[in-house]
């Protein structure tokens, strides 16, 4: 995350037509990193319908697991900024978190026109540090004269 937002850190996402979401936040450490986590797997939607939904196991310390009412208007996208300050280290305001956002069964039922057979999932591994890095990509086409 940008160190400039650490005074009031947040995770921003857009929700469309779902009335409620299950929000989970876990505090993690580098040793919890694994490529099979939903935040690193672009195909992490779960099948619904005939197959039973399984609970996604997240590593680390669970800090939040609750239902959030979105108050969305029908067919109108809404940006939600999820505050993170209370989940980071109190003294320094830094840390690593996994955020997992899933639609609830009730919210999916309200979208009966929705023909998707997957349960939408949004997940991110957030690193909140005071380190700022600038990166530049060079195609190698230009020669530098000294």
């Amino acid at each position: 995350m940008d160190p400039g937002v650490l005074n009031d850190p947040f995770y921003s996402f857009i929700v469309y037509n779902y009335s409620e979401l299950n929000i989970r936040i876990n505090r993690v450490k580098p040793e919890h990193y694994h490529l099979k986590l939903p935040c690193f797997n672009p195909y992490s939607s779960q099948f619904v319908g005939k197959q039973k939904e399984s609970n996604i196991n997240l590593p680390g310390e669970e800090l939040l697991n609750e239902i959030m009412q979105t108050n969305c208007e029908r067919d109108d996208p809404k940006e939600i900024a999820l505050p993170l300050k209370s989940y980071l280290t109190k003294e320094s305001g830094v840390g690593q978190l996994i955020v997992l956002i899933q639609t609830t069964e009730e919210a999916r039922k309200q979208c009966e026109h929705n023909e998707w057979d997957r349960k939408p999932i949004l997940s991110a591994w957030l690193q909140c540090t005071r380190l700022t890095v600038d990166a530049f990509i060079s195609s190698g086409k230009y020669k530098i004269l000294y």
Side-chain angles (χ1 to χ4, degrees), residues 50-121:
K50 293 181 181 178
Q51 293 183 356
K52 183 179 179 183
E53 294 178 17
S54 61
N55 190 19
I56 296 175
N57 292 322
L58 295 178
E61 175 190 356
E62 184 177 273
L63 304 174
L64 178 72
N65 187 351
E66 68 180 32
I67 304 296
M68 169 193 278
Q69 301 301 315
T70 63
N71 301 316
C72 287
E73 296 293 328
R74 191 75 171 159
D75 296 327
D76 188 23
K78 180 178 182 179
E79 182 176 9
I80 295 177
L82 183 63
L84 299 173
K85 189 170 192 167
S86 62
Y87 306 113
L88 298 171
T89 306
K90 302 290 184 210
E91 300 82 38
S92 63
V94 299
Q96 297 183 67
L97 305 170
I98 286 184
V99 174
L100 182 75
I101 303 165
Q102 298 173 285
T103 57
T104 64
E105 184 69 32
E106 183 63 32
R108 287 191 308 279
K109 284 180 185 177
Q110 292 172 358
C111 294
E112 292 180 10
H113 70 282
N114 186 347
E115 297 178 8
W116 297 339
D117 62 349
R118 296 185 182 267
K119 178 180 182 180
I121 296 173

